[in-house]
Amino acid sequence: MALAAPVSHDDIFGTEAVRNARAVDDALRELGPVVKLAREDITMITRYAPVSDGLKDWQAFSSRSRPWHDATSVRPEILLTDDPPRHTAVRPVIASALSPRALAQMAAAFSADAEALLREVKQRSGTVIDAVAAISRPFVYKVLPDLLGLPMQGREHMTAFGHMVWATMGPQNELFHEAMENAGPVIEWVEQCCNRENLEPDGLGMQMFLAADRGQITQAEAKLLVGILLSAAADTTVMTVSTAMHAFSLFPEQYQELRRDPSLVRSAFEESLRWDSPSRMAGRIATRSVEIEGYVVRQGERCGLMFAAANRDPRKWPAPDRFDIRRDLRGHLGWGYGVHACVGRSLALLEADALLKALIRHIERFEPAGEPEPWMTTIGHGPAGLPVRIHAV
Ligand code: HEM
């Protein structure tokens, strides 16, 4: 007989819970591998093994509908909202635009931008800076729209757009409505800047339309792909770099280790993704009944597969709260897993490589100077502000 899953009556997406998302998610995981959220009528899968199994089994955990799914929302309805075969037909368009050859051509521009930014930031040595406002956001918000070939005008709407898209992945609560305030001009900008005629001819955005010209996808799908690139690539990367800097301030010996051995840059970024993942969960719908450690998730149930909690599950990760850039990170779920695993991973890693290498060249150490200000969105997670005192090399 199936076990009765523990039920939580807490609001894990409310303002207070979002402020403490790390502790909230970890506590849910310790309640059980499957937990019902009474308020939202959602089944949360919390521990490493079942989350990774669930992400792999796209037939049982479909993306075609999701908790809180609204097909009319600002979220581009493509890829993350598809299962194979449609998903399989569209994904290679982005994957091939991010081929190793294409990435090699981007590397020099990323390094030059990172170097210029850090030369400026190091002038503030000895003072407290907000590392999100001074380092991670300006870097990503410059290199990404440049790469996509977006017009300069209106780029200031990127933050609000990212926030709105993240909000659509969670319940329509107070935080959702805050994110949607003044949506009009943002939606108008996205609508315009994802149009073919407004994209630079040699940018990544135009690559989507060239794939449509070749008949791989439709013109409408090309426009949706530009929208998903814009929304999926920005804040995830900003948050992961910001979290890495937070960790560098809390674990100074790890930062010194990285400075001694810059070949660890990638591990440091991946460990940051594991240690405090920027996406709390992936939404799916169960298409059939699935047994998980004696509990049964029934067909039709709305599910949340908890990346962040799974990435700190002590059943998988020794001393999970410790930031350790030499840990064996194989199998962490910060990029997702299975057919929807992040298709932009190599791009994010390239950005991280440029920025973290510039950091270790110019910043000798980060000193904590207060609590990070949390990013107030239900599903996304990370510092929106990070006070640290920097000491230049
Ligand atoms: C550190 C930065 C990043 C993180 C942590 C991250 C995380 C993720 C995760 C967890 C998923 C899976 C979501 C799910 O299964 O529901 C995903 C998918 C995706 N990511 Fe990323 N991402 C990052 C950067 C990027 C970048 C730079 C791009 C731009 C190319 C990108 C584009 C996408 C797309 C298009 C998908 C959907 C893939 C699919 O459905 O097949 N991401 N990402």
Side-chain angles (χ1 to χ4, degrees), residues 276-287:
D276 212 5
S277 313
S279 178
R280 291 174 74 192
M281 59 162 255
R284 301 286 194 266
I285 301 287
T287 59

Side-chain angles (χ1 to χ4, degrees), residues 55 63 66 75 78-82 87 91 94 98 144 204 228-229 232-234 236-238 240 269 273 278-279 281-284 307 333-337 339-345 347-348 351:
L55 290 169
S63 295
R66 291 185 162 204
R75 185 174 179 191
I78 195 156
L79 271 182
L80 274 171
T81 43
D82 294 328
H87 174 268
R91 185 174 160 111
I94 297 186
L98 296 175
L144 182 68
L204 186 64
I228 202 175
L229 285 173
T236 45
T237 313
V238 172
T240 311
F269 189 71
L273 256 183
S279 178
M281 59 162 255
R284 301 286 194 266
F307 298 124
L333 303 174
W335 303 108
Y337 186 49
V339 294
H340 292 284
C342 183
V343 68
R345 175 184 175 166
L347 174 59
E351 291 174 55

Side-chain angles (χ1 to χ4, degrees), residues 219-242:
Q219 296 287 331
E221 285 171 332
K223 183 169 175 176
L224 287 173
L225 285 183
V226 180
I228 202 175
L229 285 173
L230 190 55
S231 55
D235 294 315
T236 45
T237 313
V238 172
M239 288 307 133
T240 311
V241 174
S242 305

